[in-house]
Amino acid sequence: MGRLKDKAIVITGAAMGLGYAAALEAAKNGAKLSLVDYNGESLEKAKAVIQEQYPDTKIITLVADVSDEAAVKKYVDETVKAFGTIDGFYNNAGIEGRQAPLIEYDLEVFKKVVDINLMGVYYGLRYVIPVMQQQGYGRIVNVASVGGIRGVMNQTPYVATKHAVAGITKNASLEYGRYGILTNAIAPGAILTPMVAEAFKQVNPADPKKAEAEYAQANPTKRLGLPEEVGKLVVFLLSDDCSYVNGQTIAIDGGQSNSYGNV
Ligand SMILES: NC(=O)c1ccc[n+]([C@@H]2O[C@H](COP(=O)([O-])OP(=O)(O)OC[C@H]3O[C@@H](n4cnc5c(N)ncnc54)[C@H](O)[C@@H]3O)[C@@H](O)[C@H]2O)c1
């Protein structure tokens, strides 16, 4: 049963955080999974937990760095070899980079953020879309961020690349909607994943929990989001129930990005 029954779904950045949570939710909804990450050890751990909870799930794991074009082509080819189709693509892998003012930003880190968050997302689309085009069907969810619709202090490359993801999403929706391919993006606010926990450590190394509590005060719901809440939205966007939403960047942030001041 489930929204993704027998659909072949590729998830990048699947070893941890939002990718892992979506993989669990997709397994719960009957999907076959192609899990991609550059951290092979964590990827195998993630697979083991998913398999234990949902023993009937077909899962392949592929170690790949999404910023390496050849590796992206390979994970797409391997998935088609294993499952025959790619029905859904959660183009999720991304990094935050370090936090620093714009003019002081380390150039190597800047380029790395661009390579992973922008080129990695683009390579994924470049190789997955032709498969979906042939099928005449596909659902794609790119991962932007609230930093893809707003500025965020000291995170210039992150904000630049996430705005780019929202832009690429619009173009993919225009160019490939006619082939039955719907492309959307999500814009999560602060969701409690390892990446966000690391950011709070940078804000207040002595007391990261305090930084987290202070941050939550600015949210209308007075809390951070949970990875499984994002997983549910992603599963909807990857399913047939998503039939006329195309080219949108959907915020999932408790409403925080609507605010112009304190709440
Ligand atoms: N957590 C949040 O609050 C939040 C908010 C907005 C957007 N996002 C976005 O969601 C996505 C996932 O973030 P997360 O919080 O789950 O991060 P995370 O660091 O917890 O997990 C990211 C996963 O992606 C993998 N990964 C990173 N770079 C990779 C690469 N080049 N190739 C292959 N795998 C790679 C990591 O190994 C890890 O398993 C990112 O694109 C991030 O920008 C997260």
Side-chain angles (χ1 to χ4, degrees):
M1 282 315 109
R3 274 185 156 145
L4 299 178
K5 174 124 185 63
D6 296 330
K7 303 263 192 209
I9 306 291
V10 177
I11 300 178
T12 67
M16 268 184 256
L18 297 187
Y20 168 64
L24 266 176
E25 191 64 25
K28 186 176 159 189
N29 279 274
K32 298 179 277 191
L33 296 175
S34 169
L35 304 181
V36 178
D37 206 287
Y38 63 8
N39 184 338
E41 201 179 313
S42 298
L43 190 59
E44 287 312 315
K45 280 190 196 147
K47 178 188 172 182
V49 178
I50 298 166
Q51 202 77 78
E52 198 184 325
Q53 286 194 38
Y54 303 102
D56 294 338
T57 309
K58 291 195 181 102
I59 307 178
I60 61 166
T61 50
L62 299 162
V63 176
D65 182 336
V66 300
S67 66
D68 174 350
E69 185 185 353
V72 172
K73 183 177 183 313
K74 194 156 172 242
Y75 82 61
V76 172
D77 289 347
E78 292 288 325
T79 304
V80 174
K81 205 154 86 183
F83 296 139
T85 61
I86 298 177
D87 304 298
F89 179 35
Y90 186 32
N91 204 0
N92 160 76
I95 59 166
E96 188 199 58
R98 308 303 298 173
Q99 300 198 8
L102 183 146
I103 58 172
E104 291 165 27
Y105 213 95
D106 182 286
L107 273 182
E108 284 312 307
V109 178
F110 198 114
K111 286 178 188 162
K112 191 169 176 205
V113 175
V114 171
D115 278 345
I116 296 176
N117 291 9
L118 173 53
M119 296 315 295
V121 164
Y122 172 66
Y123 295 143
L125 296 173
R126 188 176 174 96
Y127 290 100
V128 167
I129 286 175
V131 177
M132 292 181 165
Q133 215 174 356
Q134 264 206 326
Q135 295 165 184
Y137 178 90
R139 297 285 179 273
I140 298 171
V141 180
N142 295 322
V143 179
S145 165
V146 165
I149 50 180
R150 296 275 181 268
V152 184
M153 287 291 286
N154 297 326
Q155 295 192 30
T156 296
Y158 188 77
V159 165
T161 53
K162 293 301 185 178
H163 274 72
V165 169
I168 285 183
T169 299
K170 287 180 187 159
N171 256 56
S173 75
L174 297 180
E175 295 174 25
Y176 299 101
R178 73 198 67 187
Y179 301 102
I181 303 170
L182 302 180
T183 309
N184 292 290
I186 58 167
I191 312 293
L192 260 182
T193 63
M195 187 181 92
V196 166
E198 179 55 36
F200 287 127
K201 272 191 216 152
Q202 287 187 51
V203 173
N204 186 346
D207 194 351
K209 278 280 159 205
K210 187 159 175 252
E212 182 188 321
E214 280 167 7
Y215 187 87
Q217 279 315 303
N219 193 289
T221 65
K222 304 296 174 192
R223 67 174 178 89
L224 268 65
L226 300 174
E228 50 272 32
E229 293 177 300
V230 179
K232 286 182 173 44
L233 173 62
V234 172
V235 164
F236 164 73
L237 292 170
L238 290 174
S239 76
D240 292 339
D241 289 338
C242 172
S243 54
Y244 205 53
V245 184
N246 192 22
Q248 303 306 305
T249 294
I250 299 165
I252 173 159
D253 68 343
Q256 188 168 349
S257 58
N258 289 322
S259 164
Y260 187 68
N262 294 333
V263 289

